[in-house]
């Protein structure tokens, strides 16, 4: 896809309830383009009354449409049609996604939109692949379990991958027969509205997928606490995840799926098959989306004999990146989502350097035209586990480097007191790789690679304060169904 003119992209600043756009009133939030800081729209904030309207509408659709009760293959057919419409709409969706997010147009067109469509197809195929069981009982009894949808699932999506993260929530919930009320991030609210339009065109009943706009304090909290919301799924910060758990406990209780923060290690042994390739992989895992990725490989833990070569390769990869607005094809280093976040990143780097870390490259805002915030990919060496950049989730392109001599030291450095979202291990020793896969406290361990592909069957989720439950995979579908036990005595 080619460069596009940002001022020519039209967005609909509204809610989407019952298959139509709904005006949100005069209480508006400024929505900025991260690439240049330009305010391009005003976002309505749904108050408790509008949240109630959206949830009641979804509940009514769940009860009165045939979405949950139709043959699962029919539901799957509609979802596949929806996925086809999303994929075919890339010329509209990709610029809309890139405009207000940190996703460069090339990535949005080649990855985000197709990945969103394929994820919905994957979960569509689960619609008729899951059922109840017959239990072992006495011969004059019949014991069985019945799997049923919850009803209305509330989904709260983050800003870093707006379409993809929303699809992780929507896909399994709808395939399982639920209705969904989604709140996108107030910083990236618009592309999912186009997807909601396409849902109606595909044949999903009006009200089964509603979108409400707003912030977390008013809209998100009201959504989580609504009495007709039966489950909540969220991706975002650990701090917000705690608040969501509290709201669900106080108003239910309700099950939650939470994918939260991470501080993921990349462990590189000197026997890794190709250290230059590993260096490029490590660089991509922290500079992709400017490090604004929950599974970003932000801690390099490298064996002493390989450290110099690997770090040099990472610096070369960083030097090749080109910062620029998301509407330019040539952009390979995305903007930071906001000036406040860029200042936060810079503050952590400066404090860590002041504490004794060695700045090898980066460590400052990149030059830019306009008011966008771009941060130079940064490497901090000479760090220890007590330093802020090693402990805190930075959510920016900042890599710390720690050196080890043996397996035990590598595992000790990789351990984090709070986070356990993902980890990478690079080695040609398969026995060591399997030992580390067992020993690392992380929900996902990548061996001789780092990052996801389109293997939707592999679930993702964290240990410790990195979350609970799973997105993707069979587990995500099952988390959107509840189980009823039935025991029948035979009549004589």
């Amino acid at each position: 896809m080619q460069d596009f003119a940002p001022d020519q992209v039209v967005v609909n600043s509204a809610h989407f309830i019952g298959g139509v756009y709904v005006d949100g009133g005069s209480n508006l939030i400024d929505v900025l383009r991260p690439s240049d800081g330009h305010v391009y729209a005003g976002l309505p904030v749904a108050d408790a009354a509008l949240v109630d309207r959206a949830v009641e509408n979804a509940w009514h659709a769940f009860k009165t449409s045939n979405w949950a009760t139709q043959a699962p293959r029919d539901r799957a057919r509609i979802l596949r049609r929806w996925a086809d419409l999303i994929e075919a709409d890339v010329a509209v969706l990709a610029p809309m996604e890139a405009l207000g997010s940190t996703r460069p147009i090339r990535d949005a067109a080649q990855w985000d939109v197709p990945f969103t469509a394929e994820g919905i197809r994957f979960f569509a195929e689960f619609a008729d692949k899951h059922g109840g069981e017959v239990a072992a009982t006495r011969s004059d009894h019949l014991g069985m379990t019945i799997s049923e949808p919850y009803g209305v699932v509330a989904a709260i999506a983050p800003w870093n991958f707006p379409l993809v993260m929303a699809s992780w929530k929507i896909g399994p919930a709808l395939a399982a027969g639920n209705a969904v009320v989604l709140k996108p991030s107030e910083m990236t609210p618009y592309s999912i509205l186009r997807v909601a339009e396409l849902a109606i065109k595909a044949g999903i009943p009006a009200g089964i997928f509603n979108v409400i706009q707003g912030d977390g304090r008013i809209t998100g909290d009201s959504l989580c606490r609504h009495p007709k919301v039966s489950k909540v799924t969220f991706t975002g910060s650990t701090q917000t995840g705690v608040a969501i758990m509290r709201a669900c406990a106080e108003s239910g209780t309700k099950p939650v799926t939470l994918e939260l923060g991470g501080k993921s290690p990349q462990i590189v042994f000197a026997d890794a098959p190709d250290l230059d390739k590993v260096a490029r992989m490590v660089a991509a895992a922290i500079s992709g989306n400017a490090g604004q990725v929950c599974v970003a490989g932000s801690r390099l833990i490298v064996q002493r004999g390989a450290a110099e070569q690997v770090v040099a390769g990472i610096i070369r990869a960083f030097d090749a990146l080109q910062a620029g607005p998301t509407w330019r094809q040539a952009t390979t280093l995305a903007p930071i989502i906001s000036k406040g976040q860029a200042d936060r990143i810079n503050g952590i780097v400066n404090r860590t350097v002041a504490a004794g870390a060695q700045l090898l490259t980066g460590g400052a805002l990149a030059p830019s035209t306009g008011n966008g915030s771009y941060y130079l990919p940064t490497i901090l060496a000479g760090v220890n586990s007590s330093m802020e950049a090693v402990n805190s989730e930075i959510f920016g392109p900042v890599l710390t480097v720690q050196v080890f001599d043996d397996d035990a030291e590598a595992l000790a450095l990789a351990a984090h007191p709070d986070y356990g979202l993902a980890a990478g291990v690079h080695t040609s020793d398969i026995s060591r790789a399997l030992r580390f896969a067992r020993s690392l406290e992380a929900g996902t361990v990548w061996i001789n690679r780092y990052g996801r592909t389109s293997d939707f069957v592999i679930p993702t989720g964290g240990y410790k304060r990195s979350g609970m439950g799973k997105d993707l995979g069979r587990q995500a579908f099952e988390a959107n169904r509840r189980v009823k036990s039935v025991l029948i005595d035979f009549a004589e």
Side-chain angles (χ1 to χ4, degrees):
M1 181 164 285
Q2 302 300 312
D3 293 0
F4 68 92
D7 293 334
Q8 294 180 4
V9 178
V10 177
V11 298
N12 200 328
S13 196
H15 314 282
F16 193 84
I17 300 173
V20 297
Y21 283 105
V22 174
D23 180 41
S26 58
N27 183 16
L28 302 179
I29 300 173
D30 285 344
V31 184
L32 283 69
R33 299 190 303 227
S35 295
D36 62 3
H38 176 73
V39 176
Y40 72 100
L43 186 73
V45 177
D47 58 13
L50 192 55
V51 170
D52 178 69
R53 175 179 171 182
V55 174
E56 288 287 349
N57 178 269
W59 177 254
H60 180 76
F62 174 75
K63 285 295 188 181
T64 60
S65 76
N66 69 339
W67 185 248
T69 58
Q70 67 182 307
R73 291 299 296 171
D74 292 339
R75 187 162 63 244
R77 190 174 298 109
I78 295 170
L79 289 172
R80 290 196 303 270
R81 189 183 308 137
W82 186 30
D84 291 344
L85 290 172
I86 292 170
E87 192 164 47
D89 201 48
V90 65
V92 175
L93 275 173
M96 194 175 288
E97 180 79 336
L99 175 72
S101 76
T102 59
R103 304 298 297 143
I105 182 60
R106 180 173 57 183
D107 294 338
Q110 294 180 1
W111 191 79
D112 296 62
V113 174
F115 192 89
T116 296
E118 191 63 19
I120 290 171
R121 287 192 192 101
F122 172 83
F123 284 111
E125 289 303 323
F126 259 108
D128 68 340
K129 307 295 190 300
H130 183 273
E133 296 179 346
V134 175
T137 62
R138 281 172 30 184
S139 61
D140 58 347
H141 290 173
L142 176 63
M144 61 182 179
T145 59
I146 299 173
S147 172
E148 300 176 335
Y150 276 100
V152 178
V153 173
I156 302 176
W159 52 261
N160 56 337
F161 294 89
L163 281 178
V164 169
M165 293 291 99
S167 73
W168 286 15
K169 311 300 183 186
I170 301 163
L174 292 182
N178 297 284
V180 174
V181 179
L182 172 75
K183 190 197 89 65
S185 169
E186 61 270 30
M187 292 188 281
T188 53
Y190 296 121
S191 56
I192 196 63
L193 291 173
R194 174 69 175 178
V195 172
E197 286 184 49
L198 297 176
I200 299 298
K201 187 175 180 180
I204 295 176
I208 289 296
F209 177 38
N210 290 337
V211 180
I212 53 170
Q213 308 286 11
D215 61 9
R217 183 177 61 87
I218 297 172
T219 310
D221 187 67
S222 298
L223 181 59
C224 291
R225 293 179 184 275
H226 196 284
K228 286 185 178 173
V229 166
S230 297
K231 180 185 187 298
V232 176
T233 175
F234 166 76
T235 294
S237 71
T238 296
Q239 181 180 5
T240 303
V242 170
I244 286 172
M245 283 191 71
R246 182 181 300 114
C248 290
E250 292 173 351
S251 61
T253 58
K254 301 166 186 173
V256 295
T257 296
L258 304 173
E259 190 196 30
L260 306 177
K263 194 66 183 173
S264 302
Q266 300 195 71
I267 307 167
V268 179
F269 287 87
D271 71 349
D274 183 340
L275 287 177
D276 290 334
K277 179 181 178 181
V278 169
R280 294 192 295 272
M281 199 180 306
V282 171
I286 189 60
S287 63
N289 207 34
Q292 298 164 116
V293 185
C294 56
V295 296
S298 56
R299 294 188 292 138
L300 172 61
I301 298 169
V302 58
Q303 198 162 24
R304 192 174 303 277
E308 184 176 349
Q309 180 179 347
V310 171
V311 171
I314 295 169
I315 292 174
R316 286 195 298 271
F318 282 174
D319 288 344
L321 296 173
Q322 182 175 336
T326 54
W327 43 83
R328 298 272 175 82
Q329 270 278 48
T331 293
T332 52
L333 179 65
I336 303 301
I337 187 65
S338 68
K339 184 180 184 303
Q341 173 63 5
D343 290 342
R344 176 183 170 275
I345 294 167
N346 201 43
I348 292 174
V349 169
N350 289 339
R351 289 189 294 273
T352 303
V353 171
Q358 180 186 3
L359 179 65
L360 299 185
T361 189
L365 290 167
S368 68
T369 57
N371 295 315
S373 296
Y374 300 82
Y375 203 80
L376 292 173
T378 297
I379 300 177
L380 297 172
V383 298
N384 61 60
S385 297
S386 68
M387 291 181 174
E388 187 177 4
V390 179
N391 275 317
S392 299
E393 184 180 36
I394 300 174
F395 229 61
V398 179
L399 181 72
T400 61
V401 181
Q402 294 171 283
V403 176
F404 70 89
D405 291 307
D406 56 34
D407 290 13
E409 188 179 8
L411 282 170
L413 290 172
H416 194 282
D418 296 320
Y419 295 123
L421 190 55
V425 180
H426 303 271
T427 179
S428 61
D429 186 335
I430 187 62
S431 295
R432 173 190 283 146
L434 293 175
R435 287 198 307 273
F436 271 64
R438 288 280 195 181
S439 300
L440 289 165
E441 286 191 279
T444 297
V445 178
W446 288 299
I447 307 294
N448 293 328
R449 60 169 295 154
Y450 199 93
R452 300 186 180 100
T453 57
S454 296
D455 300 309
F456 296 94
V457 72
I458 305 294
T460 182
Y463 285 11
K464 298 186 278 191
R465 289 172 62 84
S466 288
M468 62 173 59
K470 298 291 185 181
D471 286 322
L472 300 182
R474 168 180 55 82
Q475 292 84 348
F477 181 87
E478 291 175 347
N480 283 281
R481 304 277 291 186
R482 53 186 176 180
V483 176
K484 178 182 292 181
S485 297
V486 179
L487 187 61
I488 303 169
D489 281 357
F490 296 162
E492 296 184 359

